[in-house]
Amino acid sequence: YALYTVPGEDSWQVFLNSAYQRWGIPITDEVRASEVGSFSAKPEKTEEMVEMLTFSHEDGAIVMEWEHTRLTIPVGK
């Protein structure tokens, strides 16, 4: 699977796609045809700079942090 995000100031769109080999390309209708799901998430500011893109698992969610941004992605059961 591939995880795509479209950042916004107040909300990010997050897309899960079954075609993992499409890294780094524009999100076109062809790409979106293989979406598994999508949702919005509210970004938060981190207190400290996170130099390397980091993913962790916290309280049933995947947490993505980079630079001064933290995005919590809920994971269903």
Side-chain angles (χ1 to χ4, degrees):
Y1 290 93
L3 185 71
Y4 298 96
T5 62
V6 177
E9 182 122 358
D10 299 322
S11 180
W12 285 30
Q13 290 294 96
V14 181
F15 304 91
L16 183 62
N17 194 293
S18 63
Y20 67 88
Q21 63 275 64
R22 293 185 172 161
W23 180 88
I25 65 169
I27 301 172
T28 63
D29 289 341
E30 179 187 357
V31 171
R32 296 205 62 188
S34 54
E35 274 181 17
V36 176
S38 64
F39 61 93
S40 297
K42 183 177 178 171
E44 302 170 64
K45 272 196 166 277
T46 60
E47 291 184 22
E48 295 184 22
M49 169 74 162
V50 178
E51 189 168 330
M52 186 183 309
L53 176 62
T54 305
F55 290 91
S56 59
H57 184 262
E58 296 177 14
D59 300 322
I62 296 171
V63 176
M64 181 185 91
E65 293 180 308
W66 188 29
E67 294 188 354
H68 290 284
T69 302
R70 175 184 173 97
L71 193 67
T72 301
I73 302 166
V75 179
K77 293 183 180 183

